[in-house]
Amino acid sequence: MIKNIVFDFGGVLVQYDFLLFFSAQLGSKKKTEWFLNNVFTGKINADMDRGVHEPEYFFNMQKKLWPEYAYILDNFDKNYTDIFTHESEGIRALMLDMKARGYKLLGLSNWSSKVYEVMDKFDIFQLLEGYLLSKDVHQLKPEPEIYQSFFQKFGVKAEESVFIDDKPENIVAAQNVGMYGIVYYNSEQLTHELDPLLLPYTFEPATTDDELAAWSIINDSAKDMVSRGRHQWDDGYPPRQSVADDIAKGNGYVIRLDGKVVAYTAVTFDGEPAYDQLEGEWLSSGKYGTIHRTAVSLQQRGRGLGRLLFIEAERLCHKRNIHNLRMDTNYDNTEILNLVESLAFKRCGICHYVHGDEIVERIAFEKTLKIPCSTQGTVHSGII
């Protein structure tokens, strides 16, 4: 159960625009990009955030190295808060709601001591009960050590915390250490993805006592598909025996709300034969998890439980140090197509299954759960 909601600062609580700030001084976007790639680079920003030295040290060093840009660097230093343009729309209301509901609000940010100037400008930071800054521990997201430092400082558990950051690599790193994570794009999207995580649910291995309830959910979903002209499942597929086999092998999982089974999925880690002859190309060639037979009770739809099934399947992969998750679906299963793409799954090709005398095609997806390639060379990874 989630108890702690953890916010990144820049790009989540407040918005910023480096290109606008420097373009006003340098006269063009092209000159600004050159400046940020050569004079005040992402590496320098990262060193500032790590607290290797105070920011003044880096400004002075770069003014010596690039005296023709000393006036730009001085403006950068003296007018630093002008880069940060406004509080993120809707984020204050969300934080006040979460605080009223009893959640602990904390911060975790890559930032140098310049952060205090920004915190003086925006009072939204006062809604946090505490925060950890990279410069104080000499560690940076997405390094795993900074998340451990965060847990130790506040005495919180990873599995009871959801981290919100605008950089995917920082979210993947948080998930790798056991946190839930949401990549922030806007507050409406954040609310949509956060609400399911705050439901009083449990995700656990299905038992033989759950077989009938799980199959009933699947069977009801199959009938619903048929009634809407969908061709993913039909009245006889998946059979109840498939659910029984999932449970017997330890691959079946359920979501419970108030003790009642409301969603089911199967997650396997021994490969899927249908994926061996993919018409296309997988993102990886190593071990992977596979998610099958995903269904939510018709009475519980619209609450984000399908999203939770995929999130929890990813967590199973993380626990096993498996970095890829695969699945497939029919071309007309619009809801699943939209869901998996919102979860950053990529379409990789077409796989085939034999159903009786028929060979059916499915669209195959894969998601990489590794930290993306470093973006340290860009300004956005250093300052905030």
Side-chain angles (χ1 to χ4, degrees), residues 15 24 312:
Q15 295 298 311
E312 294 294 349

Side-chain angles (χ1 to χ4, degrees), residues 40 56 59 64-65 84 115 123 139 184 196 204 207 215 240 261-263 278 335 343-344 349 378:
F40 213 86
E56 192 66 22
F59 286 115
K64 291 178 182 178
L65 187 61
F84 300 88
V115 68
D123 64 359
Q139 299 161 345
Y184 178 85
E204 54 196 68
T207 69
W215 178 77
R240 181 170 173 175
V261 175
V262 295
L278 183 75
E335 292 81 6
L343 290 167
T378 66

Side-chain angles (χ1 to χ4, degrees), residues 64-335:
K64 291 178 182 178
L65 187 61
W66 299 91
E68 64 270 42
Y69 289 105
Y71 73 102
I72 299 292
L73 293 163
D74 279 335
N75 284 337
F76 182 26
D77 186 15
K78 295 175 183 177
N79 301 294
Y80 181 78
T81 59
D82 290 349
I83 296 169
F84 300 88
T85 55
H86 61 281
E87 179 182 297
S88 297
E89 184 177 354
I91 198 72
R92 179 183 294 267
L94 183 146
M95 294 175 73
L96 288 171
D97 179 52
M98 294 299 106
K99 185 179 283 286
R101 291 164 61 181
Y103 294 99
K104 178 179 284 190
L105 307 187
L106 299 168
L108 174 60
S109 181
N110 285 354
W111 219 322
S112 71
S113 58
K114 300 290 282 184
V115 68
Y116 300 120
E117 299 174 27
V118 181
M119 295 176 80
D120 286 341
K121 180 177 179 179
F122 298 96
D123 64 359
I124 193 168
F125 294 98
Q126 296 176 18
L127 295 177
L128 299 173
E129 298 181 40
Y131 52 84
L132 185 143
L133 300 173
S134 59
K135 59 98 175 176
D136 291 329
V137 292
H138 311 300
Q139 299 161 345
L140 291 175
K141 298 175 297 182
E143 298 166 357
E145 291 80 10
I146 193 170
Y147 301 93
Q148 298 299 334
S149 294
F150 174 84
F151 301 144
Q152 292 170 11
K153 178 175 181 177
F154 295 107
V156 299
K157 297 179 180 179
E159 64 273 17
E160 295 177 348
S161 306
V162 54
F163 182 46
I164 301 160
D165 196 296
D166 61 321
K167 296 180 176 59
E169 61 268 28
N170 295 340
I171 292 301
V172 173
Q175 292 169 332
N176 280 336
V177 297
M179 301 178 82
Y180 291 85
I182 299 174
V183 179
Y184 178 85
Y185 299 103
N186 57 64
S187 295
E188 182 179 0
Q189 161 264 333
L190 171 59
T191 300
H192 174 73
E193 296 188 23
L194 181 60
D195 281 349
L197 291 173
L198 304 183
L199 290 171
Y201 77 94
T202 60
F203 177 81
E204 54 196 68
T207 69
T208 54
D209 291 338
D210 300 321
E211 180 188 320
L212 177 58
W215 178 77
S216 295
I217 290 173
I218 288 177
N219 193 43
D220 287 346
S221 296
K223 291 177 180 178
D224 181 63
M225 288 183 184
V226 172
S227 71
R228 292 186 291 152
R230 304 287 177 82
H231 298 86
Q232 176 89 20
W233 294 341
D234 57 37
D235 197 24
Y237 185 85
R240 181 170 173 175
Q241 187 59 46
S242 294
V243 177
D245 291 343
D246 291 338
I247 295 173
K249 295 176 182 177
N251 297 329
Y253 293 86
V254 295
I255 285 180
R256 299 183 197 276
L257 278 176
D258 299 321
K260 183 179 179 181
V261 175
V262 295
Y264 175 81
T265 192
V267 186
T268 65
F269 297 96
D270 53 359
E272 167 53 61
Y275 294 168
D276 293 342
Q277 303 297 325
L278 183 75
E279 289 185 33
E281 186 174 356
W282 293 111
L283 302 178
S284 68
S285 58
K287 289 185 177 181
Y288 60 88
T290 304
I291 184 166
H292 280 309
R293 290 177 283 286
T294 299
V296 174
S297 168
L298 299 184
Q299 293 74 34
Q300 296 290 338
R301 288 187 177 176
R303 305 186 69 182
L305 296 178
R307 175 177 290 274
L308 287 181
L309 288 173
F310 279 87
I311 288 172
E312 294 294 349
E314 291 182 26
R315 288 174 64 80
L316 291 176
C317 290
H318 284 296
K319 290 176 181 178
R320 289 165 172 76
N321 200 30
I322 291 175
H323 301 298
N324 290 79
L325 180 62
R326 296 178 181 178
M327 58 83 59
D328 60 81
T329 193
N330 204 50
Y331 70 93
D332 61 0
N333 197 340
T334 307
E335 292 81 6

Side-chain angles (χ1 to χ4, degrees), residues 18-37 39-40 68-73 75:
F18 285 93
L19 288 178
L20 178 65
F21 177 85
F22 285 109
S23 293
Q25 300 175 71
L26 293 165
S28 72
K29 179 180 177 181
K30 184 176 181 181
K31 289 181 179 179
T32 296
E33 290 174 343
W34 183 91
F35 177 87
L36 294 175
N37 284 325
V39 181
F40 213 86
E68 64 270 42
Y69 289 105
Y71 73 102
I72 299 292
L73 293 163
N75 284 337

